[in-house]
């Protein structure tokens, strides 16, 4: 070990929380002792004190954080760490690069004329192509939403890879929509459906989600400007935002709060982003009209009142809250975003990282076993996409590795696990019903919300691997990749076959001989036997799982950091039924494999079959027989990441959920 290497272990937030919880317990014990003394007979004839009498102070009535009209002052939060620009991180060969390429191939197979068809028809421009189907069909009230996602995905992909074909295709699409905006001459309005849907929204008549769709189109345009340098896209976005500003300003706040009961995506988020891009606070004020106070108020007061809410309607609003906090330092919005993340990830998340059932939260927090039985529509993919997006924003504020632990869990199990490995088609739900299978979209007859968010997801798989502060680098994910930090003159290359292999090698290819720190994430799932070496010299102590190890030294070209992160089997139970158990190996959720058999086209490509539609399936109960996990779940010889459950009535194979395309089971009844 060289002398200049200094190892600093940070206390993870998880450990910090554990220490904190000890203090209030002591106080509670004191109160209990007092109550027992008061209840003793004969020595004191007075009645025992009531709860109210014990309280020296009456409960404090907390002020409603959103009762007053919102005002905005720009006071940006200084993040602790920032992501690298997308073109600074390149993916090398591996599962991430493969998923990105499959996604690109699917994107390039969709013609611009078909994507533009409904926009042109709405604007009175001739279009004779075959329309797309599903949620993009000419009668679907969400039509146009996918085109917005498509633009964002193109922008992300171009920014990541410099792919000129993608850029040209997206530029043409922006031009096509701009042409429709001009032809409509409707005060900046442009969409693939007429303004009539907003008339119905205004009257509170039945309509799908018109603002949701505008959000996707505006976000696509803002992304095309900021990530792909398209100036016309910013004009389209500002014109459309102007229409939104006028429409919303003409309504009372009470009426807007009624309108916000209909899904509106991340209208607040995109308007805040537009304000940041244009440095024009007008768009913040417009965005603030999309503050759904009945949703934000309990969150800001740290109360989980999510039961009964549609999950993906509300997650983008929280992303908007996080953005509002970042722009203004207004702690109310910070509280909303942080408490929401805490309660969803800690009490409403299944093992693969997803949340919700039938797109909604059906129970109070911590009732996942109860909720899971209600249907087989678990873990909508958009929800994971949005929660990962929120995680990145919160991580930037704190550099707390628990956000990355959650991100990685979702990325490996949920997101990579829902892309069909031949076509690049993706899923709507990731069902946790025993014996479920993955259903995927079709080539051009589906276009779920999740088809659109997946397009974006797989266009930016390079975005969280590394972060930085002023001078230092955070290595977060174990992905074959290259980082080039031009302004600091630093190049890194990460070589790994993770997760098939639990080692990774980071080589410094260029450095100016300056002292800086490489913060290497020691994931929460590894063991105390993890090892780090620099140029072959092992550090004397392992890293603490759930923290970073700080490697501070004068880095020079050719320095090699090797990381060994042993994986172990672990169990995760559903909080309201400990007999319902999922098994993991390291960060990978394991799934029992059962033959898929013949399935109809509809069952393969529907959103997800309901339990009653599932072909018969008998889930065996598992009986450990008092053995430790590693004694009854054993590695399968010659098959990496594969295990056999031994000593049961039938032989059961477990392999990673992200490789499971047969019928599978994640949660087992264990007795
Ligand atoms: Zn979705």
């Amino acid at each position: 070990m060289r002398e200049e290497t200094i190892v600093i272990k940070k206390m993870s937030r998880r450990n910090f929380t554990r220490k904190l919880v000890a203090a209030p317990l002591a106080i509670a014990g004191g109160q209990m002792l007092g109550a027992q003394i008061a209840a003793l007979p004969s020595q004191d004839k007075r009645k025992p004190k009531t709860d109210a009498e014990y309280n020296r102070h009456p409960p404090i009535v907390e002020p409603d954080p959103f009762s007053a009209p919102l005002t905005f002052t720009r006071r940006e939060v200084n993040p602790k760490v920032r992501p690298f620009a997308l073109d600074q991180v390149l993916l090398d060969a591996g599962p991430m690069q493969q998923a990105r390429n499959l996604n690109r191939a699917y994107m390039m197979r969709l013609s611009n004329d078909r994507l533009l068809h409904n926009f042109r028809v709405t604007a009175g421009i001739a279009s004779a192509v075959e329309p797309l189907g599903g949620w993009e069909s000419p009668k679907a009230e969400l039509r146009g939403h996918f085109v917005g996602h498509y633009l964002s995905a193109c922008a992300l992909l171009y920014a990541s890879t410099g792919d000129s074909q993608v850029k040209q295709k997206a530029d043409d699409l922006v031009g096509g929509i701009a042409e429709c905006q001009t032809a409509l001459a409707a005060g900046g309005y442009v969409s693939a459906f007429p303004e009539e849907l907003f008339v119905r929204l205004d009257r509170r008549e039945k309509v799908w989600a018109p603002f949701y769709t505008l959000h996707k189109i505006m976000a696509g345009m803002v992304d095309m400007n900021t990530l792909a340098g398209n100036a016309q896209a910013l004009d389209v976005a500002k014109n459309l935002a102007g229409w939104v500003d006028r429409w919303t300003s003409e309504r009372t706040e009470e009426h807007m709060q009624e309108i916000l009961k209909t899904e509106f995506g991340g209208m607040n988020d995109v308007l805040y982003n537009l304000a940041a891009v244009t440095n024009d606070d007008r768009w913040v004020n417009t965005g603030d009209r999309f503050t759904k106070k009945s949703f934000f108020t309990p969150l800001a007061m740290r109360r989980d009142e999510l039961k009964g809410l549609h999950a993906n309607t509300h997650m983008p609003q929280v992303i908007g809250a996080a953005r509002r906090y970042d722009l203004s330092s207004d702690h109310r919005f910070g509280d909303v975003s942080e408490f929401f993340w805490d309660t969803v990830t800690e009490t409403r998340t299944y093992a693969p990282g997803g949340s919700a059932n039938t797109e909604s939260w059906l129970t109070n927090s911590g009732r996942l076993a109860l909720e899971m039985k209600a249907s087989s529509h678990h873990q909508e993919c958009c929800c994971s996409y949005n929660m990962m997006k929120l995680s990145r924003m919160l991580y930037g504020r704190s550099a707390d590795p628990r956000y990355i632990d959650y991100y990685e869990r979702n990325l490996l199990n949920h997101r990579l696990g829902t892309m069909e490995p031949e076509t690049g088609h993706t899923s709507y739900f990731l069902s946790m019903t025993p014996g479920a299978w993955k259903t995927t979209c079709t080539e051009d007859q589906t276009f779920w919300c999740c088809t659109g968010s997946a397009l974006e997801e797989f266009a930016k798989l390079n975005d969280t691997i590394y972060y930085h502060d002023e001078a230092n680098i955070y290595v977060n994910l174990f992905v074959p990749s290259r980082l080039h930090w031009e302004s600091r003159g630093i190049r890194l290359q990460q070589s790994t076959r993770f997760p098939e292999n639990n080692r990774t090698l980071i080589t410094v290819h260029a450095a100016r001989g300056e002292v800086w720190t490489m913060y290497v994430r020691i994931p929460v799932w590894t063991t105390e036997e993890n090892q780090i070496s620099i140029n072959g010299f092992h550090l004397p102590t392992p890293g603490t799982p759930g923290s970073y190890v700080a490697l501070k030294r004068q880095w020079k070209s050719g320095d090699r950091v090797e990381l060994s992160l042993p994986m172990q089997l672990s169990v995760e139970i559903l909080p309201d039924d400990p007999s319902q158990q999922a098994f993991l190996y390291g960060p990978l959720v394991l799934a029992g494999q059962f033959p898929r058999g013949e399935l109809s086209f509809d069952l393969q490509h529907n959103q997800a079959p309901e339990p009653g539609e599932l072909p018969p399936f008998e889930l065996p109960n598992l009986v450990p027989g008092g053995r430790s996990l590693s004694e009854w779940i054993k590695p399968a010889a010659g098959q990496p990441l594969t295990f056999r459950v031994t000593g049961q009535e039938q032989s059961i194979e477990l392999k990673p959920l992200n490789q499971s395309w047969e019928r599978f089971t994640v949660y087992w009844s264990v007795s």
Side-chain angles (χ1 to χ4, degrees), residues 141-142 193 197 201 207-214 262-265:
E141 290 189 347
L142 220 62
F193 50 73
L197 267 65
L201 177 71
V207 66
W208 195 340
F211 271 125
Y212 172 94
T213 311
L214 285 204
T262 299
E263 185 171 12
F264 57 94

Side-chain angles (χ1 to χ4, degrees), residues 143-337:
R143 60 190 184 274
H145 77 106
F146 180 80
V147 182
H149 284 297
Y150 190 95
L151 285 172
S152 291
C154 287
L156 291 161
L157 194 53
Y158 172 69
S160 297
T161 62
D163 188 327
S164 57
Q165 282 182 299
V166 169
K167 162 86 167 139
Q168 186 61 56
K169 195 167 188 303
D171 284 345
D172 291 347
L173 206 47
V174 170
I177 293 174
E179 189 185 357
C180 293
Q181 193 173 44
T182 304
L184 276 166
Y189 180 80
V190 66
S191 182
F193 50 73
E195 283 186 75
E196 186 263 333
L197 267 65
F198 285 94
V199 175
R200 281 158 49 198
L201 177 71
D202 190 38
R203 292 179 184 154
R204 308 301 299 127
E205 294 170 359
K206 188 168 169 49
V207 66
W208 195 340
F211 271 125
Y212 172 94
T213 311
L214 285 204
H215 161 233
K216 307 307 173 212
I217 296 166
M218 287 176 64
M221 292 294 171
V222 172
D223 289 341
M224 276 302 295
N225 177 255
T226 55
L227 297 170
N230 185 313
Q232 187 180 30
L234 187 60
D235 290 338
V236 174
K238 285 197 289 190
N239 291 338
L240 186 49
W243 181 90
V244 173
D245 184 16
R246 283 188 295 280
W247 197 95
T248 53
S249 66
E250 289 166 359
R251 277 138 188 97
T252 65
E253 184 181 341
E254 291 70 28
H255 189 54
M256 273 306 295
Q257 291 297 316
E258 281 297 307
I259 283 167
L260 298 186
K261 290 177 180 171
T262 299
E263 185 171 12
F264 57 94
M267 281 302 295
N268 55 349
D269 181 42
V270 72
L271 285 159
Y272 299 147
N273 282 333
L274 187 62
V277 172
T278 59
N279 204 25
D280 185 348
D281 293 352
R282 174 187 177 191
W283 308 125
V284 175
N285 298 326
T286 311
D288 279 351
R289 295 190 199 113
F290 291 89
T291 301
K292 185 177 176 181
K293 295 188 172 178
S294 63
F295 173 53
F296 277 13
T297 298
L299 292 172
M301 299 170 84
R302 306 194 65 77
R303 294 199 309 261
D304 181 328
E305 296 183 5
L306 301 181
K307 180 179 176 177
L309 294 183
H310 181 267
N312 195 50
T313 288
H314 292 87
M315 287 170 174
Q317 297 175 38
V318 178
I319 291 171
R323 190 75 182 104
R324 179 65 157 75
Y325 173 73
D326 288 346
L327 285 176
S328 63
S329 303
D330 185 329
H331 73 89
R332 296 171 296 177
F333 291 94
D335 291 346
V336 166
S337 54

Side-chain angles (χ1 to χ4, degrees), residues 212 312 380-383 428 448-451 453:
Y212 172 94
N312 195 50
E380 183 190 346
C381 293
C382 288
C383 294
Y428 195 138
W448 299 313
C449 47
C450 301
T451 318
S453 51

Side-chain angles (χ1 to χ4, degrees), residues 569-607:
L569 284 166
S570 63
V571 180
E572 286 191 4
I573 61 170
L574 292 179
D576 51 333
D577 184 353
S579 75
Q580 296 296 302
Q581 301 185 1
F583 304 107
L584 290 90
Y585 183 60
L588 296 170
V589 174
L590 299 175
Q593 305 295 308
F594 301 92
R596 179 156 146 157
E598 287 296 315
L599 295 173
S600 68
F601 181 87
D602 197 40
L603 283 177
Q604 291 178 59
H605 301 292
N606 204 336
Q607 291 175 14

Side-chain angles (χ1 to χ4, degrees), residues 1-6 472 508 513-518 534-535 537 539 550-556 558-561:
M1 191 69 254
R2 286 175 183 273
E3 283 183 5
E4 70 268 27
T5 300
I6 302 166
N472 311 301
V508 179
E514 294 170 357
V515 174
W516 53 273
T517 302
M518 184 190 296
I534 301 178
N535 298 333
F537 292 93
L539 299 195
L551 307 174
K552 184 177 182 182
R553 60 187 264 126
Q554 189 174 16
W555 294 94
K556 63 179 190 326
D559 281 346
R560 293 157 56 92
V561 176

Side-chain angles (χ1 to χ4, degrees), residues 423-437:
T423 60
H425 294 160
T426 49
S427 301
Y428 195 138
F429 296 104
L430 179 54
S431 178
M432 290 291 94
T433 300
W437 61 89

